[in-house]
Amino acid sequence: MANVTTATGQDRWFNVINTTIVTIFFVLVLAPLLYVLAASFSDALAVIQGRVWFWPVDFNIEGYRAVFRHPRIMSGFANSFFYVIVGTVINVTLTVLAAYPLSRKDFVDRNLFMTLFVFTIMFNGGLIPTYLLVKSLGMLDTRAALLFPLAIGAWNVIITRTYFQHTIPNELLEAAQMDGCKDFRFLWSVVLPLSGPIIAVITLFYAVQHWNQFFQALLYLKDEAKYPLQLILREILVENQVSSQMTDMDIDSLLLRQQLRELLKYSLIIVASAPMLILYPFIQKYFVKGIMIGSLKG
Amino acid sequence: MRSKAMVIALLLLMTPLMVFAAGAEEEGAATGGVPVTPAGTYPIVEETLEMEVFLSGTTLVDDFQNNAYTEYVLEKTGIQMLVDVTPSADAQQVVNVMLASGDYPGTFINQNFTPAQQVLYGEQGVFLPLNDLIDEYGVNVQTAFETFPLVRDNFVMPDGNIYALPDVNDCFHCSMAQKLWVYEPWLEAVGMDLPQTTEEYKELLIAFRDEDPNGNGIQDEIPLVGAVTGGWFSGIDGFFMNSFIYTHGNLQNVNDTYLRIVDGQIDAVYDAPEWREGLRYLNDLYEEGLILPDSFVQDANQYKQLGENPGDVILGSGTAGHMGVFVDFDGESGRWTDYVSIPPLEGPNGVRYSRFNPVFGDPQWTITNAEENVEAAFRLGDAWYDFDMMQRNLYGREGIEWGMPEPGQLGINGKPATWVPIVGRGLIDRTSWWNQAGPHLRTRDYRLGRYQPDPGALEVVLFNETTANYEPYAADGSMIVPPLSYPSNVAAELTEIQTTLADYVREMIARFITGDADIDSDSQWNAYLSELDAIGVDRMLEIMQTTYDNK
Amino acid sequence: MAELTQVPETISGRRTRGESIALRWKERKKGWQLYVLMLLPFLYLMIFRYYPMLGAQIAFRDYNLIGGVWGSPWAGLKHFARFINSYMFSRLMANTLILSFYQLIASFPLPILLALSLNYLSSRRYRKTVQMATYAPHFISLVVLVGLMIQILAMRNGLINNVIELFGGQRQSFLGNPDAFRHLYVWSTVWQNVGYSSIIYIATLTSIDPELHEAAIVDGATILQRIRNIDIPGILPTAVILLILSTGRVLELGFEKAYLLQNPLNLRTSEIIQTYVYKQGLLAPIPQFSYAAAIGLFRAVIGLALLTTVNAVSRRVSESSLW
């Protein structure tokens, strides 16, 4: 992005205040995150005693070891990557296919279709009817069950439509139509190249949704080889739970389990969210001003 | 217009799919399938039989399918189990959907179905009645019922059928787990004995508050503390209210109903004058600054943070099932050995009870009409109780994780041991056992027969504390409301009232104790009573009484 | 309504009904490609969303296994009546609505402000770092978040109270205060989601024609003026649409966070529809499919009513609306 600050006095004040506020906010946001990170690398007793602040105390990696020791952790990662990549491609494609016609004023039935979409934000059939449907489509215990039932999020369709409506100038469409460019080609050659930011956004939203999903997997999958990461992580958390009622444990074991549980809470968050955090900078690249429009004008 | 017509046409085309809507399969016969060997003999089947079973995943087991226990079961009974596991936190929802959609396995091993669910699914032919099978093949189950008549009562449904096998775990100290612990060195520091009455206890707390028993010159001592989320019996109310009226309830347990039985009548204790007295006592302690205010909002982590305070001890006394709830079993601080239990205190009217949790048995092992080999499935369930099977399920492989006792080895209760652990329970190989999944018969003698040479071990300590301080005051089993199965036409109304009451009673306990509501104000107390009436206490008791009488 | 006459009134410019219909068909044929584009999404909607919606009828029945969706006995409005007449109904509705609207109003402007703020940070690297950091809290699980909150708000040992005491103030029981519950709930949600929610605005800001800004700079406009005249009008359509959609979801507050923050002292304000339904489910001896479905339907209908109202208002007041 081009340097947009100017030298006028008012702007200088603006920058000072702006930067200050952002920094305060940054600290407020960062503090708990640092705590989680620090706790995940600390000794459990230190965490329990509340001695951990923003730096690990009595560094150890037991929490992470417990996670990566699980036999299905790697397949969990692999499965999740699959669901994210394939799923997001399906999501984004269908969303764009739906959002573009909706954004066209000359699409006669656009209110009807809009209603159909908005309705699904408010109403859904519920757990059992959806389960029955998946079952009757033969999708139970298949990866497809995690890809198709939630293939389109109406929310995302609507924000994409809004983007198309306000970023693709009407003149562009008219000019193209006069050149004999049909809708398919217009979408492909003109609209999509201009839509980097919104496609990046919905890609991110869908990717995160896929990455975080576990309930669908819980419901539809039996074969553990297909389990996504979040489900495995949830299993690990449950597996290491020590209820206070387990008094017939010897002290050493009880202690071990309790300590592990403390650490796991934090290390699981880090492991679960790290890939999404790594993904973000790649998406951020698309939030660069004018790169799209400029290239078109040129 | 045409697009709308298209929509309708499409919907009509979907109609055939609607035929797939759930419908239960026809009632299955309670016999059938592969023939089994005579009762009590093994193997159960002549040729290897594969059987699909469903499990709610438990902690500390990584893999149920490739597991030493599963192999042992195959070896001993000839049945190869095909295990479908769901993490326990979500299992109930998944099971509900499975049953609702007609897509369920032949056997649920450890799914806890309420009496009402058992009746419901039994009526619809999904669960098979087990009565005849028990009579013909259920050698071990019969023993369980004979040893625990209360369990048998609980397992026979209003329609006369038994649909589940009981998991009986007679944990002695668990049956009286509502305890109060005090830091013994402070008793010496202030020169007082273990308190026996509510008044003596108050004096002790005042001494803790004022006399600086931890000797650091700062008034940082916390005389009494508890928690409301997490832990075990960590709520602060239950223990003390039992010095005024028998209270089967604890702020920390969301399922407690605070009910008791007097002369065959189910009674709610929270509208009694004695209840008010008890709250008044606690309010008095609170006003004196003897109860930590956070006790009504904090979770078990916070609780433990106080107990494990680095440096000086600040936690004087705390309510918990055992001291491990608020201190760590860590060699470093070693504080947990210094906390001892206080017996129930004698109230001003001589009332003195330990809350008692009778063994009603947990329903496990239900067989559905999707099972082809019913007799084999049943016998497998019965085999679960067999000592060799049970021991391996509970503790792993013989000779590796546990072993049989030598003569002279004694158990926790001082009698000859029944079994000997070789490695610590938390260190058991995670593919060598099933961590207690399924029904077992663990009698008190079995549990207390575990070889334990260390007199300082937790189970031994708890056994001794419970025997000495709590057993003498245990409430009688007849005072406790058993699990009831309500007819469906009143179940909805009842649940409504119970949920609202659960919220309100707890809210008012906390508010009266903290002074947010004035316990001394008659108008506020009467307003509280009217509210209880308005919510429907009488109606709830009426419904419960009818069901109880019809049992 | 145009009258049906034999001769079309083309002179006055008004069309007959018959002519309107014919015109629409012509437009449809012309835009046939748009319909093709919409085909797959439409099929998705029908199969995966609308067909299961027929199952929502269990809210009007007494769902049981044998009957299934279509065969269970009809119960009419029984479950709705049960909910509306229940003792706690007004308190639940009030708590849920107040909490939700509070959250809506608090969460609405901040992501926008954050996006604008970041947009004008001079250092690109700083901007990207802050963006990343604000996006991360979205991934902290609720259990850990609430655990952290309980820890820092504790009366005895909590960080906040320690600081208050340091400055000579009195220790407060935040967690036990029913009024504080709402503030804690809303602002912690804002903290968790402001970064994630600002992403759409950041994306929208970058799609604004940079020539507009260049022209404004040349004209001597200050940053604030540019924000007011360029950025805000650019973001406004998206913001309005999101506001409308959020209003529709106002009763959809999930149970988990409220449940975790609940304790006996704050139940007055912390018991919302979903926590109540959850507790009923726990205590209920049999799964309450029909009742839960009825409550879900009830919430959806009210949400839809609110959404269409706000939509109508916004159609008049601004250019953006859903329909």
Side-chain angles (χ1 to χ4, degrees):
Chain A
M1 161 177 123
N3 197 328
V4 291
T5 55
T6 71
T8 63
Q10 201 186 61
D11 280 353
R12 250 197 288 262
W13 270 115
F14 176 85
N15 281 324
V16 167
I17 298 179
N18 192 28
T19 315
T20 316
I21 296 183
V22 167
T23 309
I24 296 177
F25 186 66
F26 184 43
V27 168
L28 275 179
V29 167
L30 207 55
L33 296 177
L34 283 181
Y35 171 77
V36 170
L37 191 60
S40 73
F41 282 107
S42 301
D43 181 71
L45 185 62
V47 176
I48 291 174
Q49 285 183 330
R51 283 189 287 137
V52 178
W53 289 99
F54 302 116
W55 198 254
V57 174
D58 298 336
F59 185 89
N60 81 42
I61 55 170
E62 265 317 303
Y64 290 97
R65 221 183 265 156
V67 173
F68 285 102
R69 174 170 56 205
H70 196 279
R72 271 178 302 281
I73 191 82
M74 283 308 155
S75 78
F77 268 106
N79 278 317
S80 284
F81 283 132
F82 174 80
Y83 294 126
V84 166
I85 295 175
V86 176
T88 308
V89 168
I90 297 177
N91 293 143
V92 173
T93 311
L94 288 177
T95 304
V96 169
L97 284 180
Y100 181 64
L102 285 177
S103 70
R104 289 275 295 268
K105 284 209 178 67
D106 54 331
F107 183 47
V108 181
D109 292 300
R110 75 176 182 290
N111 277 347
L112 169 69
F113 285 103
M114 194 56 172
T115 313
L116 285 180
F117 277 103
V118 172
F119 214 68
T120 67
I121 293 184
M122 311 300 317
F123 297 90
N124 66 57
L127 206 52
I128 294 175
T130 318
Y131 182 84
L132 288 174
L133 174 71
V134 169
K135 177 177 160 194
S136 59
L137 288 174
M139 280 193 200
L140 274 187
D141 205 21
T142 66
R143 290 204 168 88
L146 266 62
L147 296 173
F148 291 107
L150 293 179
I152 305 185
W155 194 281
N156 290 334
V157 170
I158 295 174
I159 60 177
T160 311
R161 178 194 86 142
T162 311
Y163 183 90
F164 286 158
Q165 278 172 326
H166 291 90
T167 320
I168 316 294
N170 228 21
E171 303 85 52
L172 217 54
L173 176 63
E174 284 165 8
Q177 282 175 333
M178 274 199 277
D179 281 348
C181 175
K182 296 284 195 67
D183 293 322
F184 287 162
R185 227 182 104 221
F186 187 68
L187 175 62
W188 182 258
S189 331
V190 180
V191 177
L192 286 184
L194 286 180
S195 305
I198 193 65
I199 294 189
V201 168
I202 60 176
T203 304
L204 184 67
F205 285 170
Y206 280 124
V208 169
Q209 183 188 307
H210 277 291
W211 185 257
N212 284 342
Q213 111 195 130
F214 82 96
F215 191 69
Q216 316 289 107
L218 186 69
L219 204 55
Y220 299 127
L221 294 180
K222 276 202 192 7
D223 181 2
E224 297 194 346
K226 302 193 179 86
Y227 278 10
L229 185 66
Q230 292 291 345
L231 195 52
I232 306 279
L233 295 181
R234 199 174 169 79
E235 267 185 16
I236 296 179
L237 194 61
V238 166
E239 274 174 30
N240 281 289
Q241 249 168 23
V242 177
S243 107
S244 298
Q245 291 176 268
M246 288 185 182
T247 53
D248 54 342
M249 276 218 215
D250 57 290
I251 301 308
D252 293 326
S253 306
L254 197 59
L255 181 64
L256 211 63
R257 291 300 129 210
Q258 284 181 340
Q259 289 185 330
L260 206 51
R261 176 91 209 289
E262 265 316 294
L263 290 182
L264 269 181
K265 273 192 330 205
Y266 302 105
S267 55
L268 280 176
I269 294 182
I270 304 292
V271 170
S273 50
M276 284 296 117
L277 291 174
I278 296 175
L279 174 65
Y280 191 57
F282 294 98
I283 303 286
Q284 268 182 329
K285 277 204 305 219
Y286 287 90
F287 300 154
V288 172
K289 226 176 167 65
I291 217 180
M292 300 298 159
I293 301 220
S295 66
L296 186 72
K297 295 244 169 104
Chain B
M1 269 307 138
R2 212 211 279 180
S3 50
K4 285 209 181 119
M6 272 185 346
V7 171
I8 299 177
L10 249 146
L11 280 176
L12 284 176
L13 275 173
M14 301 279 183
T15 316
L17 279 177
M18 298 170 187
V19 172
F20 283 103
E25 295 147 40
E26 287 165 23
E27 245 193 73
T31 57
V34 161
V36 295
T37 60
T41 62
Y42 300 99
I44 293 178
V45 287
E46 301 293 327
E47 289 173 30
T48 307
L49 175 66
E50 286 193 342
M51 193 177 287
E52 286 186 7
V53 293
F54 180 89
L55 262 187
S56 231
T58 71
T59 74
L60 303 177
V61 180
D62 273 349
D63 193 333
F64 285 90
Q65 190 65 58
N66 304 312
N67 188 300
Y69 179 71
T70 316
E71 279 161 33
Y72 180 77
V73 170
L74 172 61
E75 209 182 284
K76 173 153 184 167
T77 68
I79 296 179
Q80 171 66 61
M81 296 187 289
L82 302 171
V83 188
D84 177 19
V85 187
T86 298
S88 59
D90 314 294
Q92 187 59 54
Q93 270 197 305
V94 174
V95 170
N96 284 345
V97 175
M98 284 169 98
L99 288 169
S101 66
D103 204 22
Y104 43 85
T107 308
F108 286 99
I109 292 190
N110 63 350
Q111 198 57 32
N112 217 313
F113 289 106
T114 65
Q117 283 174 315
Q118 291 174 43
V119 170
L120 180 72
Y121 295 125
E123 254 167 26
Q124 299 181 359
V126 176
F127 286 174
L128 303 178
L130 304 175
N131 309 42
D132 295 334
L133 289 164
I134 294 177
D135 289 337
E136 198 178 335
Y137 297 109
V139 175
N140 294 324
V141 179
Q142 285 171 21
T143 313
F145 282 152
E146 273 153 38
T147 323
F148 292 91
L150 213 58
V151 173
R152 179 161 216 283
D153 278 344
N154 192 32
F155 272 72
V156 178
M157 293 295 113
D159 63 1
N161 289 332
I162 299 177
Y163 294 104
L165 298 182
D167 180 34
V168 181
N169 192 357
D170 195 4
C171 165
F172 177 56
H173 75 88
C174 307
S175 64
M176 284 168 270
Q178 189 161 260
K179 298 187 165 80
L180 177 68
W181 302 87
V182 69
Y183 191 60
E184 198 170 25
W186 283 11
L187 288 175
E188 290 160 27
V190 301
M192 294 174 80
D193 293 322
L194 218 56
Q196 298 291 323
T197 69
T198 47
E199 279 314 301
E200 284 172 22
Y201 180 67
K202 179 179 171 185
E203 280 164 28
L204 180 68
L205 292 185
I206 293 180
F208 280 174
R209 179 193 68 192
D210 296 334
E211 293 174 31
D212 192 28
N214 68 4
N216 64 359
I218 315 171
Q219 194 180 32
D220 59 353
E221 287 81 359
I222 301 174
L224 173 61
V225 61
V228 285
T229 318
W232 192 33
F233 286 100
S234 345
I236 227 169
D237 59 329
F239 179 84
F240 297 100
M241 296 307 283
N242 272 306
S243 304
F244 295 86
I245 189 171
Y246 180 62
T247 302
H248 201 84
N250 187 298
L251 271 182
Q252 185 249 326
N253 288 344
V254 287
N255 290 330
D256 279 346
T257 51
Y258 291 86
L259 301 172
R260 64 171 179 172
I261 298 183
V262 180
D263 296 328
Q265 293 293 113
I266 302 183
D267 178 46
V269 299
Y270 39 77
D271 50 11
E274 296 92 329
W275 185 256
R276 190 179 183 184
E277 285 315 301
L279 290 180
R280 217 191 285 262
Y281 171 71
L282 286 170
N283 171 248
D284 185 37
L285 295 183
Y286 187 87
E287 301 280 329
E288 289 272 357
L290 302 171
I291 302 183
L292 188 73
D294 279 333
S295 306
F296 298 96
V297 302
Q298 69 183 1
D299 60 15
N301 286 340
Q302 296 306 106
Y303 198 3
K304 192 170 274 193
Q305 211 171 74
L306 296 171
E308 280 293 334
N309 192 53
D312 299 314
V313 174
I314 55 175
L315 199 156
S317 61
T319 45
H322 61 82
M323 59 306 243
V325 169
F326 55 86
V327 283
D328 231 9
F329 296 121
D330 185 47
E332 241 183 81
S333 82
R335 281 174 202 170
W336 77 275
T337 51
D338 292 326
Y339 281 92
V340 296
S341 69
I342 298 183
L345 302 164
E346 187 181 330
N349 298 323
V351 174
R352 194 173 193 179
Y353 284 114
S354 305
R355 169 178 169 158
F356 179 63
N357 303 313
V359 176
F360 290 115
D362 284 330
Q364 314 248 288
W365 206 276
T366 38
I367 304 180
T368 67
N369 59 357
E371 179 57 65
E372 290 167 356
N373 305 301
V374 178
E375 283 159 350
F378 177 80
R379 282 216 52 211
L380 184 60
D382 188 71
W384 225 252
Y385 296 88
D386 178 84
F387 181 82
D388 286 325
M389 294 260 289
M390 180 172 90
Q391 198 55 38
R392 282 167 177 76
N393 186 327
L394 296 181
Y395 221 82
R397 297 161 290 191
E398 180 169 14
I400 307 179
E401 273 99 16
W402 65 277
M404 293 306 291
E406 316 263 308
Q409 285 183 318
L410 299 178
I412 296 174
N413 54 2
K415 303 192 215 161
T418 49
W419 64 282
V420 180
I422 297 179
V423 303
R425 182 153 172 261
L427 299 170
I428 297 177
D429 183 303
R430 315 236 270 197
T431 55
S432 71
W433 66 324
W434 274 30
N435 194 359
Q436 313 169 67
H440 301 96
L441 180 60
R442 278 174 281 181
T443 60
R444 198 171 283 192
D445 285 334
Y446 166 77
R447 285 190 61 116
L448 296 173
R450 171 198 162 119
Y451 173 64
Q452 183 51 269
D454 174 13
L458 182 61
E459 275 264 312
V460 179
V461 170
L462 289 176
F463 173 73
N464 292 329
E465 298 275 355
T466 311
T467 316
N469 287 339
Y470 291 84
E471 199 175 7
Y473 308 103
D476 189 66
S478 65
M479 291 171 72
I480 292 139
V481 181
L484 294 169
S485 170
Y486 303 98
S488 47
N489 59 330
V490 289
E493 192 186 349
L494 184 68
T495 314
E496 196 80 42
I497 302 178
Q498 278 180 330
T499 316
T500 314
L501 274 178
D503 271 357
Y504 186 63
V505 168
R506 279 181 176 70
E507 188 186 343
M508 293 315 285
I509 292 175
R511 291 183 61 202
F512 278 129
I513 298 179
T514 56
D516 194 35
D518 188 358
I519 193 72
D520 289 317
S521 149
D522 284 336
S523 63
Q524 287 196 28
W525 179 254
N526 289 330
Y528 163 69
L529 293 178
S530 317
E531 187 81 5
L532 289 174
D533 278 332
I535 297 176
V537 181
D538 292 325
R539 176 73 183 128
M540 174 186 84
L541 291 176
E542 193 189 319
I543 296 176
M544 295 180 83
Q545 192 65 45
T546 319
T547 314
Y548 178 67
D549 290 334
N550 289 341
K551 233 169 117 81
Chain C
M1 273 300 275
E3 313 144 80
L4 255 166
T5 59
Q6 297 287 49
V7 179
E9 300 232 54
T10 40
I11 303 160
S12 65
R14 268 172 45 212
R15 296 204 188 89
T16 66
R17 191 153 169 267
E19 251 194 12
S20 288
I21 297 181
L23 200 66
R24 284 162 75 89
W25 275 111
K26 214 166 136 215
E27 289 281 320
R28 285 196 185 105
K29 283 202 195 101
K30 205 171 80 171
W32 67 273
Q33 289 192 351
L34 294 178
Y35 284 90
V36 171
L37 289 176
M38 188 53 97
L39 181 65
L40 276 179
F42 177 73
L43 281 177
Y44 165 79
L45 279 185
M46 286 300 120
I47 299 176
F48 287 99
R49 297 291 188 144
Y50 280 92
Y51 172 59
M53 251 191 238
L54 296 170
Q57 63 178 285
I58 65 177
F60 299 98
R61 294 180 184 264
D62 278 322
Y63 182 77
N64 65 51
L65 264 195
I66 299 187
V69 174
W70 293 90
S72 297
W74 193 254
L77 295 175
K78 178 171 95 180
H79 300 293
F80 294 93
R82 175 179 157 196
F83 179 55
I84 296 179
N85 290 328
S86 74
Y87 192 79
M88 297 269 281
F89 177 72
S90 44
R91 196 208 271 197
L92 293 177
M93 282 297 280
N95 281 345
T96 312
L97 283 173
I98 295 176
L99 195 60
S100 206
F101 274 116
Y102 184 1
Q103 184 170 288
L104 187 67
I105 296 172
S107 329
F108 180 63
L110 288 170
I112 299 177
L113 292 175
L114 180 65
L116 288 170
S117 232
L118 289 178
N119 204 28
Y120 286 100
L121 268 189
S122 30
S123 158
R124 208 166 114 184
R125 194 130 61 104
Y126 192 40
R127 190 176 90 242
K128 288 199 163 176
T129 318
V130 176
Q131 247 181 46
M132 265 281 271
T134 59
Y135 161 74
H138 182 80
F139 296 94
I140 295 192
S141 68
L142 273 178
V143 171
V144 169
L145 178 63
V146 174
L148 276 177
M149 285 172 73
I150 296 183
Q151 200 169 326
I152 58 176
L153 291 167
M155 197 161 144
R156 167 88 189 205
N157 267 351
L159 179 66
I160 309 273
N161 272 313
N162 288 345
V163 169
I164 291 181
E165 203 177 51
L166 208 61
F167 284 100
Q170 266 269 28
R171 283 180 179 266
Q172 300 271 11
S173 173
F174 295 107
L175 294 165
N177 183 344
D179 298 315
F181 168 77
R182 294 192 175 124
H183 303 306
L184 293 175
Y185 184 99
V186 169
W187 293 104
S188 56
T189 308
V190 167
W191 175 85
Q192 216 183 358
N193 290 321
V194 69
Y196 197 73
S197 312
S198 69
I199 293 179
I200 179 68
Y201 295 116
I202 294 176
T204 312
L205 280 175
T206 62
S207 69
I208 294 179
D209 192 346
E211 279 185 9
L212 289 174
H213 279 287
E214 284 162 28
I217 296 174
V218 162
D219 280 350
T222 65
I223 293 182
L224 281 175
Q225 283 173 326
R226 279 155 58 197
I227 291 180
R228 189 143 50 94
N229 296 315
I230 303 176
D231 292 320
I232 296 208
I235 293 191
L236 203 59
T238 311
V240 169
I241 296 285
L242 286 179
L243 185 64
I244 300 177
L245 289 177
S246 303
T247 313
R249 296 193 56 95
V250 83
L251 281 179
E252 302 292 326
L253 272 185
F255 92 96
E256 206 177 349
K257 186 163 194 180
Y259 190 70
L260 289 171
L261 275 173
Q262 257 183 13
N263 58 56
L265 286 175
N266 67 16
L267 274 178
R268 270 207 304 282
T269 52
S270 62
E271 191 78 302
I272 60 177
I273 297 179
Q274 276 308 87
T275 53
Y276 187 70
V277 172
Y278 178 73
K279 285 181 188 168
Q280 281 217 333
L282 282 186
L283 282 178
I286 41 181
Q288 313 248 298
F289 294 123
S290 288
Y291 187 56
I295 296 185
L297 204 54
F298 176 80
R299 287 153 69 208
V301 166
I302 299 209
L304 190 62
L306 284 170
L307 183 144
T308 38
T309 313
V310 178
N311 188 57
V313 168
S314 120
R315 197 175 38 219
R316 251 147 264 225
V317 168
S318 76
E319 275 178 9
S320 332
S321 62
L322 288 176
W323 294 277

